[in-house]
Amino acid sequence: VTNLSREKMEMADRPLQVAEHGKIVLPGDQVVHASALDAAQLIRVGTGLSEKGSGLVASRSGAVKVLSGKAGDVRVWVDGNARRYSPCVQDLVIGVVVDKRTDDFRLDIRGPSLGVLPSLAFEGATKRARPKLEMGTTVYCRVTAADKDMEPELSCVCAMHKKGWMTGQAVFGELLGGHLVETSMGYARSLLLPESPIVNALGKYLAYELAVGSNGRVWVKSATVPKTILVANAIRNAEHLAPERAEAMVAQLVSYLQG
């Protein structure tokens, strides 16, 4: 065995040198060591990180988040309540159409620049059959390219679910009706976690649809307008509540609704 092969074997046996989940970091603190990037395991880099030397450091203050994927990959990002959204590849976002062009749409995604959504970036879209989004339309999509010197690129194509955009069953696309709530970036991302207290508490009492964007936008829809407003207000008001208080608030709101 050569020295290089022995070094790779030792590196594979070594645990990934990534900061602990939940650790509070400041700008410049190391989050991912260089040896982790050289390991066989795939590391997906999220928001709040920048390259320094051969490793990754925090570009903003916040808590380190480490999420293991089903394919054995690891996603790492720094979760902080930034005032403005910083686009990152694979982020799910909710945008609002503010400009229409021949081949694409421009969406406000609460970032430093507008996002570009090609008119053919929908599942099953063709030049003859493609969505005609109007100004002000709310769209659920994902970031496919993000560079500080370019407008972020968006897509409504989902690799796992192949439902066409015309079926109304596609994962991404136009969000019809409902109500849009704007929150902090960190709180919005917490709603995506399976253990989210407010999402689970609402599910005990009401049936509703929910789309969460990492850019701090949350779209909700229920069977009636009063129920939709209840869900929207509960999510908006629960940001700074303890889990038990959030559940109590939902129970109280539902009792008021039922009269």
Side-chain angles (χ1 to χ4, degrees):
V1 181
T2 64
N3 290 335
L4 182 60
S5 299
R6 187 179 294 110
E7 186 177 331
K8 288 185 177 180
M9 290 170 62
E10 290 175 355
M11 187 173 291
D13 293 334
R14 203 180 301 161
L16 282 178
Q17 297 189 37
V18 179
E20 182 182 356
H21 178 84
K23 179 183 178 182
I24 303 300
V25 293
L26 298 174
D29 288 350
Q30 190 172 60
V31 177
V32 180
H33 194 272
S35 62
L37 297 176
D38 292 334
Q41 191 168 18
L42 176 63
I43 296 181
R44 299 186 182 278
V45 180
T47 57
L49 293 172
S50 61
E51 188 175 356
K52 184 177 181 181
S54 54
L56 297 174
V57 299
S59 59
R60 68 184 181 199
S61 57
V64 175
K65 300 294 182 181
V66 182
L67 183 64
S68 298
K70 294 181 179 180
D73 58 322
V74 175
R75 180 163 185 176
V76 185
W77 73 96
V78 176
D79 200 5
N81 283 332
R83 293 184 178 181
R84 189 172 64 179
Y85 169 63
S86 178
C88 185
V89 174
Q90 296 304 328
D91 272 358
L92 307 182
V93 296
I94 296 177
V96 178
V97 178
V98 295
D99 190 18
K100 299 189 299 179
R101 302 189 181 184
T102 304
D103 297 319
D104 57 50
F105 304 94
R106 291 297 197 275
L107 273 62
D108 169 25
I109 56 173
R110 298 184 75 188
S113 60
L114 299 177
V116 180
L117 176 62
S119 56
L120 294 179
F122 292 79
E123 193 65 53
T126 64
K127 289 186 176 181
R128 291 187 177 182
R130 53 186 176 178
K132 296 180 180 179
L133 305 178
E134 300 298 328
M135 299 285 284
T137 299
T138 303
V139 183
Y140 192 41
C141 49
R142 64 185 181 89
V143 180
T144 56
D147 189 282
K148 63 180 180 180
D149 299 321
M150 298 175 59
E151 293 177 314
E153 294 183 14
L154 310 172
S155 173
C156 286
V157 175
C158 180
M160 298 180 64
H161 302 277
K162 295 295 184 180
K163 296 290 185 180
W165 70 272
M166 290 185 292
T167 66
Q169 299 177 348
V171 174
F172 301 113
E174 181 180 358
L175 297 173
L176 299 171
H179 187 78
L180 191 63
V181 178
E182 291 197 351
T183 71
S184 65
M185 313 299 164
Y187 178 57
R189 278 188 280 267
S190 73
L191 297 175
L192 293 168
L193 301 176
E195 63 271 18
S196 170
I198 187 62
V199 172
N200 292 330
L202 285 166
K204 293 180 181 179
Y205 298 95
L206 298 168
Y208 67 98
E209 297 177 59
L210 177 72
V212 179
S214 296
N215 58 335
R217 284 194 176 127
V218 182
W219 175 87
V220 296
K221 184 179 181 180
S222 193
T224 64
V225 173
K227 289 182 179 180
T228 298
I229 294 175
L230 185 154
V231 174
N233 287 336
I235 289 177
R236 182 184 292 111
N237 296 332
E239 180 170 0
H240 303 293
L241 294 181
E244 58 274 7
R245 292 191 62 188
E247 187 162 355
M249 175 192 65
V250 171
Q252 189 174 30
L253 290 174
V254 172
S255 66
Y256 288 157
L257 182 65
Q258 294 174 345

